[in-house]
Amino acid sequence: MKARKRVALVAHDNKKTELVDWVIYNKKVLGDHQLFATGTTGSLVEKALGQPVTCFLSGPLGGDQQIGAAIAEGKLDVLIFFWDPMEAQPHDPDVKALLRVAATWNIPVACDRATADFILTSPLMHKEYDALLPDYSAYVKRNIRP
């Protein structure tokens, strides 16, 4: 990972205000990084910060999956996902898949404000970092016959 991180921002409806408050509070630090987000969240963040945010589709319309694909392709470095644990989501399988792919590719993930604060204030957030990527070669070759 380069010193300038590619940060994905996602928030469920009941957590959007909290995420916007968090990005405003951290505007200076986030300004050093490239921001990505699901559609609605991205437009709110862009308006609040006055800086560009690369937006994917809205989460339920495929944005969560687009962010997951970008993680798998090595195009995102950090996932900040303020999800609502108290409300069922119609696209819950997409949410679970997004969190799984983030863990699969060993990127930092915050699901709440406290964890997001810890990630953003880590010295590693502001310098190059060599993340250890899992070796999935045995998994990829599992059904290949000699």
Side-chain angles (χ1 to χ4, degrees):
M1 289 181 206
K2 295 181 180 178
R4 185 173 190 239
K5 305 294 187 283
R6 298 163 298 178
V7 179
L9 302 168
V10 182
H12 284 151
D13 287 347
N14 290 340
K15 294 291 184 168
K16 288 189 190 320
T17 300
E18 184 179 354
L19 181 72
V20 169
D21 290 345
W22 180 81
V23 298
I24 290 169
Y25 182 79
N26 291 290
K27 179 178 182 172
K28 183 178 181 333
V29 174
L30 290 171
D32 294 336
H33 302 286
Q34 189 175 2
L35 304 181
F36 298 79
T38 48
T40 308
T41 300
S43 62
L44 292 170
V45 168
E46 192 170 67
K47 183 178 179 184
L49 294 183
Q51 77 181 65
V53 175
T54 301
C55 293
F56 293 97
L57 295 172
S58 175
L61 298 178
D64 295 333
Q65 293 175 338
Q66 288 178 304
I67 288 179
I71 290 168
E73 294 169 354
K75 295 178 180 176
L76 294 173
D77 303 311
V78 176
L79 173 61
I80 307 295
F81 186 175
F82 284 20
W83 64 277
D84 185 354
M86 302 307 284
E87 189 164 320
Q89 303 295 325
H91 62 296
D92 196 53
D94 299 336
V95 171
K96 186 177 247 182
L98 174 57
L99 294 172
R100 187 186 69 74
V101 79
T104 299
W105 292 106
N106 194 29
I107 70 162
V109 177
C111 293
D112 55 52
R113 188 174 185 142
T115 308
D117 286 339
F118 273 75
I119 289 173
L120 211 61
T121 59
S122 168
L124 299 175
M125 186 69 186
H126 309 286
K127 61 184 179 179
E128 288 191 21
Y129 176 74
D130 290 325
L132 296 176
L133 295 178
D135 180 4
Y136 292 115
S137 59
Y139 179 80
V140 170
K141 297 176 185 175
R142 73 193 181 289
N143 290 324
I144 299 174
R145 294 184 181 162

